[in-house]
Amino acid sequence: GKIASARETSRATVALAWHFTKDCVTSPIIGATKIHHLSQAISALDLELSKEEIAAIEEPYRPKAPTGLKMMPLTIEKVSLTV
């Protein structure tokens, strides 16, 4: 919330602005249920975060190994198409 407060904007706007600095995801999913959600998303397009702000946002993140469902190798079975 510090960056949002300093920039006088919402956390959602800062989160989307950060997201737009990343090339790995090309389309964010925005679940707008109110007009102000759209306004926040649109204003994120004009919010340029500094390198220091980006670093501050990313600093708490610690990568973790995937857990839960085990990935099954894909298998392709022959399909017989008889008419």
Side-chain angles (χ1 to χ4, degrees):
K2 292 178 184 179
I3 296 170
S5 294
R7 294 294 201 103
E8 298 181 350
T9 191
S10 71
R11 290 178 180 191
T13 299
V14 172
L16 281 171
W18 170 83
H19 168 81
F20 295 141
T21 69
K22 304 300 163 195
D23 293 333
C24 61
V25 179
T26 59
S27 59
I29 298 172
I30 300 170
T33 57
K34 296 180 175 65
I35 288 293
H36 76 270
H37 295 164
L38 286 175
S39 299
Q40 291 171 347
I42 292 167
S43 61
L45 294 169
D46 294 326
L47 181 62
E48 291 189 35
L49 299 172
S50 70
K51 290 180 183 179
E52 293 79 16
E53 289 170 324
I54 293 169
I57 292 168
E58 295 176 353
E59 191 278 324
Y61 175 73
R62 299 292 178 261
K64 298 177 185 169
T67 60
L69 297 175
K70 294 187 179 191
M71 299 302 289
M72 300 291 291
L74 293 176
T75 58
I76 299 175
E77 297 180 24
K78 291 183 179 179
V79 176
S80 174
L81 298 176
T82 57
V83 182

